Amino acid sequence: MATGLLALLDDVAALVKVSAATLDDVPTQVAKTTGKVSGIVIDDTAVTPKYVVGLDPKRELSIIFQIAKKSLINKAIFLGPAALVLGYFLPVVIPYLLMIGGAFLCFEGYEKVHSMFSKTHEPTDEPTEEMDIITPQELEKQRVSGAIRTDFILSAEIMAIAYATVAESPLVNQIVVLFAVAIFITIAVYGFVALIVKADDIGVHMAQDKFHPTTQKIGRGIVKSMPKFLTILGYVGTAAMLWVGAEIIAHGLPFMHHPMEILDHLFPDVPMLGWLVKVLVLALGGLLLGAVIAQIVTLGKKLFKRPAEKVAH
Protein backbone atom coordinates (compact mmCIF):
# COMPACT_ATOMS: atom_id res chain seq x y z
CA MET A 1 0.00 0.00 0.00
CA ALA A 2 2.82 2.36 1.01
CA THR A 3 4.75 1.41 -2.13
CA GLY A 4 1.75 2.20 -4.33
CA LEU A 5 1.26 5.55 -2.61
CA LEU A 6 4.93 6.45 -3.09
CA ALA A 7 4.73 5.49 -6.76
CA LEU A 8 1.64 7.68 -7.19
CA LEU A 9 3.40 10.59 -5.50
CA ASP A 10 6.40 10.10 -7.79
CA ASP A 11 4.11 10.23 -10.83
CA VAL A 12 2.42 13.39 -9.55
CA ALA A 13 5.82 15.02 -8.88
CA ALA A 14 6.99 14.11 -12.38
CA LEU A 15 3.80 15.54 -13.87
CA VAL A 16 4.22 18.78 -11.90
CA LYS A 17 7.83 19.08 -13.10
CA VAL A 18 6.79 18.59 -16.72
CA SER A 19 3.97 21.14 -16.38
CA ALA A 20 6.31 23.66 -14.73
CA ALA A 21 8.90 23.20 -17.46
CA THR A 22 6.22 23.62 -20.10
CA LEU A 23 4.85 26.80 -18.53
CA ASP A 24 8.37 28.21 -18.26
CA ASP A 25 8.29 28.55 -22.05
CA VAL A 26 5.15 30.69 -21.98
CA PRO A 27 6.85 34.13 -21.63
CA THR A 28 9.17 33.28 -24.52
CA GLN A 29 6.26 32.13 -26.67
CA VAL A 30 4.23 35.23 -25.80
CA ALA A 31 7.17 37.46 -26.77
CA LYS A 32 7.70 35.53 -30.01
CA THR A 33 4.01 35.74 -30.88
CA THR A 34 3.85 39.44 -30.10
CA GLY A 35 6.78 40.05 -32.44
CA LYS A 36 5.03 38.19 -35.26
CA VAL A 37 1.86 40.24 -34.93
CA SER A 38 3.67 43.57 -34.48
CA GLY A 39 2.57 44.82 -37.91
CA ILE A 40 -1.09 44.24 -37.11
CA VAL A 41 -0.64 45.80 -33.67
CA ILE A 42 0.89 48.91 -35.27
CA ASP A 43 -2.02 49.12 -37.68
CA ASP A 44 -4.59 48.67 -34.90
CA THR A 45 -2.90 51.42 -32.90
CA ALA A 46 -2.74 53.73 -35.92
CA VAL A 47 -6.34 53.19 -37.01
CA THR A 48 -8.18 53.53 -33.69
CA PRO A 49 -7.56 57.24 -32.83
CA LYS A 50 -9.57 58.38 -35.88
CA TYR A 51 -12.75 56.98 -34.29
CA VAL A 52 -12.73 59.60 -31.51
CA VAL A 53 -11.86 62.59 -33.72
CA GLY A 54 -14.67 65.15 -33.67
CA LEU A 55 -16.37 63.73 -30.58
CA ASP A 56 -16.69 65.26 -27.12
CA PRO A 57 -13.17 65.25 -25.57
CA LYS A 58 -14.73 64.29 -22.24
CA ARG A 59 -16.00 61.07 -23.84
CA GLU A 60 -12.70 60.03 -25.49
CA LEU A 61 -11.41 57.75 -22.74
CA SER A 62 -14.85 56.22 -22.25
CA ILE A 63 -15.06 55.42 -25.97
CA ILE A 64 -11.60 53.88 -26.01
CA PHE A 65 -12.51 51.80 -22.95
CA GLN A 66 -15.65 50.51 -24.68
CA ILE A 67 -13.64 49.46 -27.75
CA ALA A 68 -10.87 47.91 -25.63
CA LYS A 69 -13.34 45.94 -23.50
CA LYS A 70 -15.08 44.51 -26.56
CA SER A 71 -11.72 43.78 -28.17
CA LEU A 72 -10.57 41.78 -25.13
CA ILE A 73 -13.86 39.87 -25.00
CA ASN A 74 -13.60 39.01 -28.68
CA LYS A 75 -10.01 37.81 -28.36
CA ALA A 76 -10.29 35.89 -25.08
CA ILE A 77 -13.81 34.45 -25.30
CA PHE A 78 -14.54 34.03 -29.02
CA LEU A 79 -11.48 34.21 -31.29
CA GLY A 80 -8.97 32.42 -29.05
CA PRO A 81 -11.22 29.39 -28.37
CA ALA A 82 -12.26 29.35 -32.03
CA ALA A 83 -8.60 29.11 -33.04
CA LEU A 84 -8.09 26.22 -30.59
CA VAL A 85 -11.14 24.34 -31.88
CA LEU A 86 -10.19 24.80 -35.52
CA GLY A 87 -6.60 23.87 -34.73
CA TYR A 88 -7.76 20.63 -33.14
CA PHE A 89 -10.46 19.55 -35.61
CA LEU A 90 -9.58 21.38 -38.85
CA PRO A 91 -5.98 22.60 -38.66
CA VAL A 92 -5.72 22.61 -42.46
CA VAL A 93 -8.25 25.47 -42.58
CA ILE A 94 -6.21 27.93 -40.49
CA PRO A 95 -3.58 28.84 -43.16
CA TYR A 96 -6.37 29.60 -45.64
CA LEU A 97 -8.23 31.74 -43.13
CA LEU A 98 -4.98 33.57 -42.44
CA MET A 99 -4.49 34.15 -46.16
CA ILE A 100 -8.03 35.48 -46.54
CA GLY A 101 -7.34 37.86 -43.67
CA GLY A 102 -4.03 38.82 -45.27
CA ALA A 103 -5.79 39.57 -48.55
CA PHE A 104 -8.27 41.75 -46.68
CA LEU A 105 -5.42 43.68 -45.05
CA CYS A 106 -3.83 44.24 -48.49
CA PHE A 107 -7.18 45.45 -49.84
CA GLU A 108 -7.69 47.81 -46.91
CA GLY A 109 -4.13 49.09 -47.23
CA TYR A 110 -4.58 49.74 -50.94
CA GLU A 111 -7.85 51.58 -50.28
CA LYS A 112 -6.07 53.84 -47.81
CA VAL A 113 -3.23 54.55 -50.22
CA HIS A 114 -5.73 55.19 -53.02
CA SER A 115 -7.71 57.61 -50.86
CA MET A 116 -4.50 59.52 -50.06
CA PHE A 117 -3.80 60.22 -53.73
CA SER A 118 -7.31 60.21 -55.18
CA LYS A 119 -8.81 63.58 -56.10
CA THR A 120 -12.30 62.19 -56.38
CA HIS A 121 -12.80 61.92 -52.63
CA GLU A 122 -11.88 65.40 -51.49
CA PRO A 123 -13.51 66.32 -48.18
CA THR A 124 -16.28 68.84 -48.20
CA ASP A 125 -17.35 71.24 -45.48
CA GLU A 126 -20.96 71.29 -46.66
CA PRO A 127 -23.23 69.61 -44.13
CA THR A 128 -25.32 66.72 -45.37
CA GLU A 129 -28.86 65.93 -44.35
CA GLU A 130 -27.63 62.84 -42.48
CA MET A 131 -25.11 64.91 -40.53
CA ASP A 132 -27.81 67.44 -39.61
CA ILE A 133 -30.13 64.93 -37.96
CA ILE A 134 -27.63 62.65 -36.22
CA THR A 135 -27.15 63.22 -32.50
CA PRO A 136 -23.78 63.10 -30.68
CA GLN A 137 -24.91 59.92 -28.94
CA GLU A 138 -25.78 58.24 -32.24
CA LEU A 139 -22.50 59.38 -33.79
CA GLU A 140 -20.57 57.96 -30.85
CA LYS A 141 -22.46 54.67 -31.16
CA GLN A 142 -21.66 54.49 -34.89
CA ARG A 143 -17.98 55.23 -34.28
CA VAL A 144 -17.70 52.59 -31.56
CA SER A 145 -19.45 50.01 -33.76
CA GLY A 146 -17.14 50.80 -36.68
CA ALA A 147 -14.05 50.57 -34.49
CA ILE A 148 -15.17 47.24 -33.04
CA ARG A 149 -15.76 45.80 -36.53
CA THR A 150 -12.29 46.82 -37.68
CA ASP A 151 -10.72 45.59 -34.45
CA PHE A 152 -12.51 42.24 -34.77
CA ILE A 153 -10.84 41.55 -38.13
CA LEU A 154 -7.41 42.58 -36.85
CA SER A 155 -7.94 40.62 -33.62
CA ALA A 156 -8.87 37.51 -35.62
CA GLU A 157 -5.56 37.81 -37.48
CA ILE A 158 -3.68 38.29 -34.21
CA MET A 159 -5.21 35.23 -32.54
CA ALA A 160 -4.81 33.05 -35.64
CA ILE A 161 -1.12 33.98 -35.91
CA ALA A 162 -0.73 33.46 -32.17
CA TYR A 163 -2.20 29.97 -32.46
CA ALA A 164 -0.01 29.14 -35.47
CA THR A 165 3.03 30.07 -33.35
CA VAL A 166 2.14 27.63 -30.55
CA ALA A 167 0.32 24.96 -32.60
CA GLU A 168 2.97 22.33 -31.80
CA SER A 169 2.99 23.15 -28.07
CA PRO A 170 1.00 21.30 -25.38
CA LEU A 171 -2.64 22.32 -24.98
CA VAL A 172 -1.98 24.08 -21.66
CA ASN A 173 0.66 26.23 -23.32
CA GLN A 174 -1.67 27.07 -26.19
CA ILE A 175 -4.44 28.23 -23.83
CA VAL A 176 -2.13 30.25 -21.57
CA VAL A 177 -0.27 31.90 -24.47
CA LEU A 178 -3.45 32.83 -26.36
CA PHE A 179 -5.01 34.28 -23.21
CA ALA A 180 -1.82 36.16 -22.31
CA VAL A 181 -1.47 37.55 -25.83
CA ALA A 182 -5.10 38.68 -25.79
CA ILE A 183 -4.64 40.59 -22.53
CA PHE A 184 -1.16 41.99 -23.25
CA ILE A 185 -1.88 43.25 -26.76
CA THR A 186 -5.25 44.76 -25.83
CA ILE A 187 -3.75 46.67 -22.90
CA ALA A 188 -0.72 47.75 -24.94
CA VAL A 189 -2.71 48.92 -27.98
CA TYR A 190 -5.49 50.77 -26.20
CA GLY A 191 -3.25 52.12 -23.46
CA PHE A 192 -1.08 53.71 -26.14
CA VAL A 193 -4.16 54.89 -28.07
CA ALA A 194 -5.48 56.56 -24.91
CA LEU A 195 -2.12 58.28 -24.45
CA ILE A 196 -2.15 59.51 -28.06
CA VAL A 197 -5.73 60.78 -27.85
CA LYS A 198 -5.12 62.67 -24.60
CA ALA A 199 -1.66 63.96 -25.58
CA ASP A 200 -3.14 67.32 -26.61
CA ASP A 201 -4.75 67.75 -23.19
CA ILE A 202 -1.49 66.77 -21.49
CA GLY A 203 0.40 69.28 -23.64
CA VAL A 204 -2.07 72.07 -22.87
CA HIS A 205 -1.81 71.31 -19.15
CA MET A 206 2.01 71.38 -19.27
CA ALA A 207 1.97 74.70 -21.16
CA GLN A 208 0.23 76.55 -18.32
CA ASP A 209 2.02 79.42 -16.61
CA LYS A 210 2.28 77.63 -13.25
CA PHE A 211 4.93 75.28 -14.65
CA HIS A 212 8.60 75.79 -15.36
CA PRO A 213 9.40 77.44 -18.74
CA THR A 214 11.02 74.21 -19.96
CA THR A 215 7.88 72.26 -19.10
CA GLN A 216 5.75 74.87 -20.85
CA LYS A 217 7.93 74.63 -23.95
CA ILE A 218 7.60 70.84 -23.99
CA GLY A 219 3.83 71.14 -23.59
CA ARG A 220 3.53 73.55 -26.52
CA GLY A 221 5.76 71.24 -28.56
CA ILE A 222 3.44 68.29 -27.85
CA VAL A 223 0.38 70.26 -28.94
CA LYS A 224 2.03 71.43 -32.17
CA SER A 225 3.52 68.06 -33.07
CA MET A 226 0.48 65.83 -32.48
CA PRO A 227 -1.24 66.49 -35.86
CA LYS A 228 1.96 65.57 -37.72
CA PHE A 229 2.49 62.57 -35.44
CA LEU A 230 -1.01 61.27 -36.13
CA THR A 231 -0.45 61.71 -39.87
CA ILE A 232 2.83 59.78 -39.73
CA LEU A 233 1.18 57.12 -37.57
CA GLY A 234 -1.50 56.73 -40.23
CA TYR A 235 1.15 56.20 -42.92
CA VAL A 236 2.96 53.66 -40.74
CA GLY A 237 -0.28 51.82 -40.08
CA THR A 238 -1.08 51.64 -43.79
CA ALA A 239 2.40 50.35 -44.61
CA ALA A 240 2.05 47.78 -41.82
CA MET A 241 -1.24 46.52 -43.24
CA LEU A 242 0.33 45.97 -46.68
CA TRP A 243 3.50 44.40 -45.29
CA VAL A 244 1.75 42.06 -42.85
CA GLY A 245 -0.97 41.08 -45.31
CA ALA A 246 1.55 40.20 -48.00
CA GLU A 247 3.78 38.29 -45.56
CA ILE A 248 0.84 36.20 -44.30
CA ILE A 249 -0.08 35.26 -47.87
CA ALA A 250 3.55 34.57 -48.83
CA HIS A 251 3.99 32.18 -45.90
CA GLY A 252 0.79 30.37 -46.89
CA LEU A 253 1.86 29.73 -50.49
CA PRO A 254 4.39 26.87 -50.89
CA PHE A 255 6.00 28.36 -54.01
CA MET A 256 6.78 31.56 -52.07
CA HIS A 257 8.86 29.83 -49.39
CA HIS A 258 12.11 30.00 -51.38
CA PRO A 259 11.75 33.72 -52.31
CA MET A 260 10.98 34.47 -48.65
CA GLU A 261 14.15 32.64 -47.57
CA ILE A 262 16.13 34.71 -50.06
CA LEU A 263 14.68 37.91 -48.58
CA ASP A 264 15.42 36.70 -45.05
CA HIS A 265 19.11 36.18 -45.88
CA LEU A 266 19.57 39.04 -48.34
CA PHE A 267 22.00 41.05 -46.19
CA PRO A 268 23.34 38.67 -43.50
CA ASP A 269 25.97 41.18 -42.36
CA VAL A 270 23.44 44.01 -41.98
CA PRO A 271 20.24 42.44 -40.56
CA MET A 272 18.39 45.76 -40.24
CA LEU A 273 18.97 46.60 -43.91
CA GLY A 274 17.77 43.13 -44.91
CA TRP A 275 14.65 43.58 -42.79
CA LEU A 276 13.90 46.98 -44.34
CA VAL A 277 14.30 45.61 -47.87
CA LYS A 278 12.03 42.69 -47.02
CA VAL A 279 9.37 45.00 -45.57
CA LEU A 280 9.54 47.27 -48.63
CA VAL A 281 9.23 44.37 -51.08
CA LEU A 282 6.31 42.87 -49.16
CA ALA A 283 4.56 46.23 -48.82
CA LEU A 284 4.81 46.83 -52.57
CA GLY A 285 3.60 43.29 -53.24
CA GLY A 286 0.69 43.86 -50.85
CA LEU A 287 -0.14 47.11 -52.62
CA LEU A 288 -0.26 45.37 -56.01
CA LEU A 289 -2.37 42.54 -54.62
CA GLY A 290 -4.70 45.05 -52.96
CA ALA A 291 -5.11 46.86 -56.28
CA VAL A 292 -6.06 43.60 -58.01
CA ILE A 293 -8.58 42.76 -55.26
CA ALA A 294 -10.02 46.28 -55.48
CA GLN A 295 -10.58 45.85 -59.22
CA ILE A 296 -12.30 42.51 -58.63
CA VAL A 297 -14.53 44.07 -55.94
CA THR A 298 -15.41 46.97 -58.25
CA LEU A 299 -16.25 44.57 -61.10
CA GLY A 300 -18.37 42.49 -58.75
CA LYS A 301 -20.33 45.55 -57.65
CA LYS A 302 -21.00 46.51 -61.27
CA LEU A 303 -22.21 43.01 -62.11
CA PHE A 304 -24.57 42.95 -59.15
CA LYS A 305 -25.92 46.41 -60.00
CA ARG A 306 -26.84 45.55 -63.57
CA PRO A 307 -30.02 43.55 -62.82
CA ALA A 308 -31.31 46.35 -60.57
CA GLU A 309 -30.64 48.91 -63.28
CA LYS A 310 -32.50 46.83 -65.85
CA VAL A 311 -35.51 46.54 -63.53
CA ALA A 312 -35.46 50.31 -62.95
CA HIS A 313 -35.58 50.97 -66.69
Side-chain angles (χ1 to χ4, degrees):
M1 182 74 173
T3 304
L5 180 59
L6 289 174
L8 177 61
L9 291 175
D10 284 342
D11 291 340
V12 171
L15 181 60
V16 170
K17 287 180 181 179
V18 171
S19 300
T22 299
L23 291 176
D24 280 343
D25 294 335
V26 168
T28 302
Q29 290 173 323
V30 171
K32 182 179 178 182
T33 301
T34 303
K36 286 193 173 184
V37 301
S38 59
I40 302 176
V41 170
I42 291 171
D43 178 63
D44 206 0
T45 306
V47 167
T48 306
K50 74 176 185 180
Y51 290 102
V52 298
V53 173
L55 299 178
D56 185 356
K58 295 179 181 178
R59 296 287 302 161
E60 289 174 344
L61 292 180
S62 174
I63 293 169
I64 292 170
F65 177 75
Q66 292 178 56
I67 301 169
K69 181 175 70 173
K70 189 63 177 179
S71 176
L72 181 58
I73 291 172
N74 285 336
K75 289 188 187 79
I77 297 180
F78 299 110
L79 296 172
L84 289 171
V85 171
L86 283 175
Y88 185 80
F89 292 103
L90 290 170
V92 70
V93 174
I94 291 180
Y96 296 102
L97 293 177
L98 281 170
M99 291 171 67
I100 292 171
F104 177 81
L105 290 176
C106 291
F107 171 69
E108 285 287 295
Y110 169 78
E111 289 287 290
K112 289 185 179 183
V113 172
H114 183 265
S115 66
M116 291 176 191
F117 296 98
S118 176
K119 296 182 180 180
T120 59
H121 299 287
E122 294 181 352
T124 176
D125 293 331
E126 295 180 5
T128 62
E129 183 178 350
E130 183 180 357
M131 291 172 62
D132 288 337
I133 60 176
I134 193 170
T135 65
Q137 292 77 14
E138 291 171 339
L139 179 59
E140 177 180 319
K141 188 175 180 180
Q142 289 180 7
R143 292 280 186 87
V144 170
S145 298
I148 290 172
R149 282 195 300 271
T150 301
D151 178 87
F152 184 86
I153 295 169
L154 296 173
S155 294
E157 289 294 301
I158 288 171
M159 299 311 292
I161 294 173
Y163 175 78
T165 305
V166 296
E168 303 300 323
S169 301
L171 180 61
V172 174
N173 265 44
Q174 294 177 13
I175 295 172
V176 174
V177 169
L178 289 178
F179 193 71
V181 166
I183 294 175
F184 174 74
I185 288 182
T186 301
I187 292 175
V189 168
Y190 289 98
F192 189 62
V193 168
L195 182 62
I196 292 172
V197 168
K198 301 307 290 184
D200 280 344
D201 294 341
I202 295 172
V204 170
H205 180 71
M206 292 173 64
Q208 293 178 2
D209 293 337
K210 62 181 180 180
F211 290 106
H212 190 275
T214 302
T215 303
Q216 295 175 17
K217 187 176 180 179
I218 293 173
R220 288 191 292 269
I222 292 174
V223 174
K224 290 179 181 179
S225 63
M226 280 311 297
K228 293 181 180 179
F229 175 77
L230 290 173
T231 300
I232 293 172
L233 190 63
Y235 293 150
V236 171
T238 301
M241 289 186 86
L242 296 169
W243 150 42
V244 173
E247 187 167 24
I248 290 171
I249 294 172
H251 280 299
L253 298 173
F255 63 85
M256 287 297 296
H257 290 175
H258 183 61
M260 289 295 290
E261 288 180 3
I262 294 175
L263 286 175
D264 286 332
H265 302 91
L266 198 57
F267 296 99
D269 296 330
V270 191
M272 182 57 68
L273 179 59
W275 180 82
L276 288 173
V277 172
K278 178 183 176 181
V279 168
L280 179 61
V281 170
L282 288 171
L284 290 175
L287 184 63
L288 291 175
L289 177 60
V292 172
I293 296 173
Q295 293 301 315
I296 295 173
V297 170
T298 301
L299 179 61
K301 288 181 179 178
K302 289 181 179 178
L303 291 175
F304 280 109
K305 281 183 180 179
R306 283 180 180 177
E309 290 175 357
K310 289 180 180 179
V311 171
H313 288 293

